[in-house]
Amino acid sequence: MLDALVNGLFILLDPFRMLMLLAGVVIGIVVGILPGLGGLMGMALVLPFLFGMDPYAGIAMLIGIAAAVPSADTFPSVLMGIPGSSGSQATIMDGYPLARQGQAARALGAAFSASLVGGLIGALALTALVPFARPIVLAFGSPELFMLTLLGLSMVGVLSGNRPLLGIIAGVFGVLIGTIGGAPVAAEYRFVFGELYLYDGISLVILALGLFALPEIIDLLARGGAIAERSPGLGGGWLQGVRDTLRHKWLVVRHSLFGIFIGFIPGMGSSIIDWLNYGYVVQTSRDRSRFGKGDIRGVIAPESANNAREGGVLMPTLLFGVPGSSAMALFLGALLIFGVQPGPQLLRDELDLVFVIIWSLALGNVFGTLLCLLLSRPIAALTFVPFYYLAPVVLIIVILGAFQETRHWGDLLLLFGFGLLGWVMKRIGMPRPPLLIGFILSSLAERYLWMSYNLYDWEWLYRPMVLAIGGVTLTLVIAGILVKRRATRETP
Amino acid sequence: MAPDSPQTSLQRWLVWLIEWLDLLFLVLLVPIFAYVYWASQGFMLGARLFPSYVAIFGLVLIGLELLRRIIKRGVVAVGRGPATADLELDEEQRSLAGYGRGLIMFAWLVGFYGLIYLIGLLWATAIFVPVFLVLQFRARWWISLLLAGGLMGLIYLLHLTLRLRWPPGVFLN
């Protein structure tokens, strides 16, 4: 295990891989600052360009994006009172009042240092879990893995929208889209309508770009204008912010652990974690009078939890092949593109890669924080660029990326179709992440189901672990609905 | 009261459509799921098992959601609760005007697609970007031209370095 840990670091220290990690961090910062463009969008944008790339470099780049977004999305939250992503909504509560009091630099300093510590704790927790989880995960057979994919799907469906049933329907719809093309366990082409283009199935890249990137571009263009209209000024007090984090070190540790725990449960979105942590710090503080008016603890708690969460969401993704979040669903898809099978096989055969991911997460957090601190002024200036100047750049990358799939006009037509679908789903309140996750899990679930059926007929349903996971699924779904209701109530 | 003008009737119809769009979307899913189930029955067992059960499950869920809507008598529970990936849309964006602005952007995209089809992505970018920015957003023309030039350079650079191909046009490649 220690060998793999050290090997992972040396593999990552290759200059090209480090460059890709850094590039991922820079992309993560840019998409983190622009509201609506989160980690998922960032990953979707770079995914088409990763084909043929060294898998370690590609994976480092994706993790770099995931690590940097929770830090960078703090800029608009603190400076403008606009969440950079859904995971930085609670930071506004105290970050923005601090900025209005001329203490933006202090709030950002505290947020970035708390994010750094949180991110490192997340990576550490993931490292600590691997030796314990490995024997358990290796004991799982196809029936248990099938049940785990169901667990992931149901949790994401339940938790990712305001109407749980709609979320699960979206997930099931995604599963069906995933069945288009050649069947994974039989020599049969399904739902291709004689179109050669569909024989290989729908591309993950096109689905992700269409569902998430196009609707955001359209909505941001339709809204018009820049993110911020006037310069709020950063002021001074960076070191004061760092000192605040050190002064509240146990708060950082507590909320990081809380963030990891919640992140481990698939579907617990960053916004839920954000608000739960904010509610938690308010409830457990003796002096609550300053919350909402500029209490630095209201910045530190959600920010440390947000970055630590990335370690948490990677746990089910890597160990069981069940994506912990929508961005992780795309990461899972990227792993499959690179020929890496998450779950028991990954832990058994490619432990080095697991540690490359963990090191990337840790270093990505360090680079992300350093870049945010060092380049805070130009990064803040990016929020004053009208989005219509940025939109053509993003749109060209999206179209160019989608076209690399098969270099067929069908790529562009599907991109447009999924874009329209995503835009409508966004408007009718039907969550899009479950559709993407259902699509990615479709072929895995079908393989596991077929293997279980072939080996045990329907007897596999009575296996103790299958029943246990079924019970856990039911419990978590019910608990998830309750937690979500609570988080919704706490949303001001 | 004055009789409704045709425009008002159209607007009212569109508002009604927007209000019921989620229900319409669900109803549209029913034939899709039913088709999947029906078409699956012609496949061999290995290819049939999974989509059949998923389609049945999906139909049951849609039935439950429709039942819930009937019981709640069409109350739409779009709340302010947090979602996983989306920043919540505000009410204005869900309004008829908000839909209209979004559809105008889609129309521009269709135009861009048309240009790509005719002259390929590289030259379509050269025309579309300045025209779109200047006509739609009253952007400064020199910034728009600079941006278009920069984007053409980016496309060409990606082609040279990563061997990426851009969509060719019927008349220009």
Side-chain angles (χ1 to χ4, degrees), chain A residues 36 49 86 160 162-163 165 172 185 188 190 193 222 271 388-389 404 407 412 427 430 432 484 488 492, chain B residues 22 25 35 43-44 46-47 80-84 86-87 94 99 101 113 133 140 143 147 163-165:
Chain A
F49 306 103
S86 55
S160 61
N162 296 314
R163 284 178 284 177
L165 207 50
V172 174
V185 293
E188 189 106 52
R190 298 178 299 199
F193 308 104
S271 56
Y388 52 78
Y389 285 131
Q404 302 316 307
R407 295 171 179 178
L412 300 188
R427 265 155 178 75
M430 193 175 208
R432 294 169 291 166
K484 187 168 170 57
T488 306
Chain B
D22 58 340
F25 186 83
Y35 169 77
F43 301 145
M44 57 182 81
R80 294 190 306 156
T84 296
D86 299 340
L87 293 173
R94 290 182 201 276
Y99 270 83
R101 277 202 307 277
Y113 265 50
L133 291 179
R140 289 177 191 162
I143 297 182
L147 188 63
R163 298 263 147 235
L164 298 189
R165 298 276 177 87

Side-chain angles (χ1 to χ4, degrees), chain A residues 35-37 40 48-49 53 83-87 89 146 156 159-163 165-166 168-169 172-173 175-176 179 183 185-191 193 212 214-225 267-272 275 309 325-326 388-397 399-400 403-404 407 409 411-413 415-416 419-421 423-433 441-443 445-446 449-450 453 458 484 487-488 491-492, chain B residues 18 20-23 25-26 29 32-33 35-40 42-55 57-66 68-69 75-90 93-95 98-107 109-110 112-118 121 124-125 128-129 132-133 136-141 143-144 147 151 154-156 158-159 162-169:
Chain A
L37 312 185
L40 182 67
F49 306 103
M53 193 187 272
S85 76
S86 55
Q89 294 172 27
F146 174 71
V156 172
L159 290 165
S160 61
N162 296 314
R163 284 178 284 177
L165 207 50
L166 274 187
I168 300 178
I169 292 170
V172 174
F173 188 40
V175 172
L176 279 192
T179 61
V185 293
E188 189 106 52
Y189 289 97
R190 298 178 299 199
F191 319 121
F193 308 104
F212 291 93
L214 268 193
E216 305 315 331
I217 296 171
I218 295 289
D219 279 342
L220 287 167
L221 279 173
R223 204 188 66 177
M268 282 295 216
S270 48
S271 56
I272 298 172
W275 284 114
R309 164 189 176 264
S325 69
S326 43
Y388 52 78
Y389 285 131
L390 300 174
V393 183
V394 184
L395 185 64
I396 299 294
I397 292 173
I399 289 177
L400 205 57
F403 190 69
Q404 302 316 307
R407 295 171 179 178
W409 252 90
D411 293 337
L412 300 188
L413 294 177
L415 175 74
F416 186 86
L420 204 57
L421 175 71
W423 189 75
V424 170
M425 285 177 74
K426 196 176 167 188
R427 265 155 178 75
I428 63 174
M430 193 175 208
R432 294 169 291 166
L441 289 181
S442 183
S443 64
E446 182 163 12
L449 176 68
W450 180 246
Y453 179 76
W458 291 112
K484 187 168 170 57
T488 306
T491 307
Chain B
I18 288 168
W20 292 94
L21 193 60
D22 58 340
L23 193 67
F25 186 83
L26 272 181
L29 284 180
I32 294 174
F33 280 71
Y35 169 77
V36 167
Y37 178 77
W38 174 77
S40 301
F43 301 145
M44 57 182 81
L45 181 67
R48 181 178 70 221
L49 195 69
F50 188 68
S52 300
Y53 283 109
V54 172
F57 186 54
L59 284 170
V60 170
L61 289 175
I62 293 172
L64 283 173
E65 175 65 15
L66 292 176
R68 191 190 70 81
R69 292 290 303 269
V75 174
V76 180
V78 179
R80 294 190 306 156
T84 296
D86 299 340
L87 293 173
E88 292 295 309
L89 289 171
D90 56 38
Q93 282 173 295
R94 290 182 201 276
S95 69
Y99 270 83
R101 277 202 307 277
L103 288 174
I104 287 171
M105 296 305 152
F106 268 110
L109 190 59
V110 170
F112 190 32
Y113 265 50
L115 268 180
I116 294 172
Y117 180 75
L118 292 175
L121 180 70
T125 303
F128 174 79
V129 171
F132 172 63
L133 291 179
Q136 181 66 40
F137 293 104
R138 305 268 174 263
R140 289 177 191 162
W141 64 267
I143 297 182
S144 309
L147 188 63
L151 279 172
L154 175 74
I155 295 169
Y156 203 72
L158 287 172
H159 169 67
L162 297 176
R163 298 263 147 235
L164 298 189
R165 298 276 177 87
W166 60 75

Side-chain angles (χ1 to χ4, degrees), chain A residues 319-404:
Chain A
L319 302 181
F320 306 112
V322 175
S325 69
S326 43
M328 281 303 130
L330 211 58
F331 180 68
L332 187 73
L335 287 180
L336 295 172
I337 287 170
F338 285 126
V340 177
Q341 184 83 36
Q345 207 179 321
L346 180 67
L347 291 180
R348 191 181 58 230
D349 305 332
E350 307 204 51
L351 206 54
D352 286 354
L353 180 64
V354 174
F355 285 109
V356 167
I357 291 169
I358 295 172
W359 280 114
S360 302
L361 183 65
L363 292 177
N365 268 292
V366 175
F367 292 156
T369 306
L370 287 177
L371 280 177
C372 283
L373 282 170
L374 295 174
L375 303 175
S376 56
R377 285 182 202 282
I379 289 172
L382 197 62
T383 55
F384 306 115
V385 178
F387 186 74
Y388 52 78
Y389 285 131
L390 300 174
V393 183
V394 184
L395 185 64
I396 299 294
I397 292 173
V398 166
I399 289 177
L400 205 57
F403 190 69
Q404 302 316 307

Side-chain angles (χ1 to χ4, degrees), chain A residues 22-236:
Chain A
L22 205 59
V25 169
V26 171
I27 293 167
I29 289 174
V30 173
V31 294
I33 291 166
L34 302 172
L37 312 185
L40 182 67
M41 169 92 159
M43 284 193 187
L45 282 177
V46 301
L47 202 55
F49 306 103
L50 299 184
F51 290 107
M53 193 187 272
D54 163 43
Y56 294 117
I59 287 166
M61 191 180 200
L62 292 172
I63 293 291
I65 294 173
V69 168
S71 299
D73 62 8
T74 314
F75 275 105
S77 298
V78 169
L79 295 177
M80 275 75 69
I82 305 162
S85 76
S86 55
S88 65
Q89 294 172 27
T91 310
I92 295 173
M93 294 297 290
D94 285 289
Y96 188 50
L98 277 167
R100 291 178 69 179
Q101 293 160 24
Q103 300 184 65
R106 181 190 169 202
L108 288 173
F112 295 147
S113 46
S115 294
L116 174 64
V117 179
L120 292 177
I121 290 176
L124 203 66
L126 189 55
T127 312
L129 186 79
V130 172
F132 297 106
R134 202 164 174 240
I136 301 168
V137 174
L138 292 179
F140 278 16
S142 46
E144 289 79 18
L145 289 168
F146 174 71
M147 288 304 289
L148 281 172
T149 55
L150 286 192
L151 185 149
L153 259 179
S154 55
M155 286 302 291
V156 172
V158 164
L159 290 165
S160 61
N162 296 314
R163 284 178 284 177
L165 207 50
L166 274 187
I168 300 178
I169 292 170
V172 174
F173 188 40
V175 172
L176 279 192
I177 295 174
T179 61
I180 294 172
V185 293
E188 189 106 52
Y189 289 97
R190 298 178 299 199
F191 319 121
V192 292
F193 308 104
E195 288 293 328
L196 199 62
Y197 175 77
L198 292 174
Y199 273 45
D200 276 341
I202 303 286
S203 148
L204 165 68
V205 171
I206 293 174
L207 183 81
L209 286 174
L211 270 184
F212 291 93
L214 268 193
E216 305 315 331
I217 296 171
I218 295 289
D219 279 342
L220 287 167
L221 279 173
R223 204 188 66 177
I227 301 162
E229 302 300 336
R230 63 185 177 81
S231 171
L234 289 171

